[in-house]
């Protein structure tokens, strides 16, 4: 932590968390039609649209890491009362594909992910 700093912003915390989660080992999903135990816990993905399925299976744990961090920050931002403007999501499916591809490339850094989070969620 920088000298004189007592805490990190939520953007920095989630940038670091996203980096750490994306570095975790991958546990493969079973794409077969046989019932999987994880489907019982997380729901039946057969009802999900094709894009969601592609993001979950092709994006692997990178997509799950992105969703966890994005949704946590988004909930925080929606309920902030110290900002002049209301929160408007800037995330598109194309952006999600780009961020998951970037995470999968292995070329990301904690500071780079912080900058993405800050640019994506910053408002006055």
């Amino acid at each position: 932590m920088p000298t004189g700093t007592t805490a990190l912003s939520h953007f920095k915390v989630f940038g670091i968390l996203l980096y750490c989660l994306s570095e975790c080992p991958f546990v493969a999903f079973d794409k077969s039609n046989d019932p999987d135990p994880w489907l019982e816990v997380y729901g039946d993905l057969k009802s999900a649209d094709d894009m969601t399925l592609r993001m979950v299976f092709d994006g692997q744990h990178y997509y799950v890491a992105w969703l966890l961090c994005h949704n946590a920050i988004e909930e925080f931002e929606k309920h902030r009362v110290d900002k002049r403007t209301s929160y408007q999501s800037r995330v598109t499916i194309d952006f999600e594909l780009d961020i998951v591809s970037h995470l999968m490339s292995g070329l990301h850094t904690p500071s780079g992910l912080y900058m993405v989070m800050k640019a994506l969620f910053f408002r006055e």
Side-chain angles (χ1 to χ4, degrees), residues 21-33:
L21 289 174
S22 69
E23 295 294 308
C24 291
F26 172 64
V27 177
F29 291 110
D30 182 4
K31 297 180 188 181
S32 69
N33 291 329

Side-chain angles (χ1 to χ4, degrees), residues 78-90:
K78 283 179 183 176
H79 296 94
R80 287 184 76 168
V81 295
D82 62 333
K83 296 294 182 179
R84 287 184 271 171
T85 58
S86 62
Y87 174 74
Q88 290 278 346
S89 179
R90 296 183 192 125

